[in-house]
């Protein structure tokens, strides 16, 4: 075997290893941003409306931490149940005596028509990250889960191929 073949084999093995590692790391990282916060007591939700723009854009993921209603203060962003949907709006007033909040979406002209009762509170919005909510929406579907598994399998195949290229180079 000449020197060029050996270098070509090493280059192919390195490239396969690099691509495989990057693919696997991207799948792992994209799953961790959704799963890891849950281990620390956060709930993660996807923003689908523009009521909090520009502060929290459509497609963002919000990380919500359970908070006692009495600890919420004016200006905090909270997540709460409204029928079958979790909504994130800013608190205008915490009416402790009545056990409810007056809220408003930043992009809305006026405050919300209905007060938010304490028992509808999910928690305070601790953080938000643009675009991650869109990724959550993809992973929530069966097709999205299948894509993630296939993508990870492709990464693993690149790593296996790199190992075989190295073995073949050593054998020669």
């Amino acid at each position: 075997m000449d020197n060029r073949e050996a270098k070509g084999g090493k280059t192919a093995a390195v490239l396969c290893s690099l691509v495989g590692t990057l693919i696997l790391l991207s799948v792992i990282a994209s799953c961790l941003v959704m799963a890891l916060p849950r281990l620390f007591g956060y709930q993660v939700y996807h923003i689908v409306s523009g009521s909090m723009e520009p502060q929290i854009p459509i497609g963002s993921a919000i990380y919500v931490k359970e908070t006692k209603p009495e600890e919420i203060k004016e200006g905090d962003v909270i997540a709460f149940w409204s029928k079958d949907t979790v909504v994130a709006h800013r608190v205008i007033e915490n009416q402790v005596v009545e056990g409810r909040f007056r809220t408003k979406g930043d992009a809305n002209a006026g405050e919300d028509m209905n007060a938010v009762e304490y028992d509808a509170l999910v928690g305070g919005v601790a953080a938000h990250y643009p675009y991650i909510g869109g990724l959550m929406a993809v992973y929530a579907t069966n097709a999205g889960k299948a894509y993630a598994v296939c993508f990870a399998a492709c990464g693993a195949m690149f790593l296996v191929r790199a190992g075989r290229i190295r073995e073949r180079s050593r054998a020669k």
Side-chain angles (χ1 to χ4, degrees):
M1 169 165 66
D2 68 0
N3 200 21
R4 284 189 301 174
E5 278 185 50
K7 285 184 179 178
K10 286 181 182 178
T11 303
V14 168
L15 283 175
C16 284
S17 289
L18 181 65
V19 169
T21 301
L22 289 174
I23 289 172
L24 285 174
L25 286 176
S26 68
V27 171
I28 291 167
S30 65
C31 291
L32 281 179
V33 297
M34 294 176 285
L36 196 57
R38 292 182 178 151
L39 294 175
F40 296 99
Y42 292 90
Q43 295 180 51
V44 185
Y45 297 97
H46 175 211
I47 298 296
V48 296
S49 79
S51 66
M52 285 300 292
E53 287 192 321
Q55 181 69 29
I56 304 175
I58 294 173
S60 295
I62 57 170
Y63 294 81
V64 179
K65 184 76 169 174
E66 187 176 325
T67 310
K68 293 179 181 175
E70 301 80 20
E71 295 175 2
I72 303 287
K73 52 190 176 303
E74 182 180 320
D76 288 349
V77 177
I78 61 169
F80 57 91
W81 285 100
S82 177
K83 298 181 184 164
D84 296 337
T85 306
V86 173
V87 176
H89 278 178
R90 193 169 306 280
V91 173
I92 296 172
E93 181 183 5
N94 185 348
Q95 299 174 328
V96 179
V97 174
E98 293 88 353
R100 62 184 183 202
F101 302 102
R102 288 183 32 232
T103 57
K104 177 187 177 301
D106 289 356
N108 297 345
E111 71 179 69
D112 296 341
M113 290 176 58
N114 298 319
V116 177
E117 301 296 327
Y118 276 5
D119 63 354
L121 178 68
V122 175
V125 175
H128 60 88
Y129 299 99
Y131 310 113
I132 294 177
L135 184 64
M136 287 175 54
V138 170
Y139 279 171
T141 66
N142 288 335
K145 290 173 188 164
Y147 285 133
V149 169
C150 290
F151 200 49
C154 287
M157 285 190 283
F158 270 107
L159 292 173
V160 168
R161 183 68 182 142
R164 288 190 178 164
I165 292 170
R166 284 189 192 99
E167 285 176 20
R168 193 172 352 126
S169 293
R170 284 186 206 122
K172 291 183 181 178

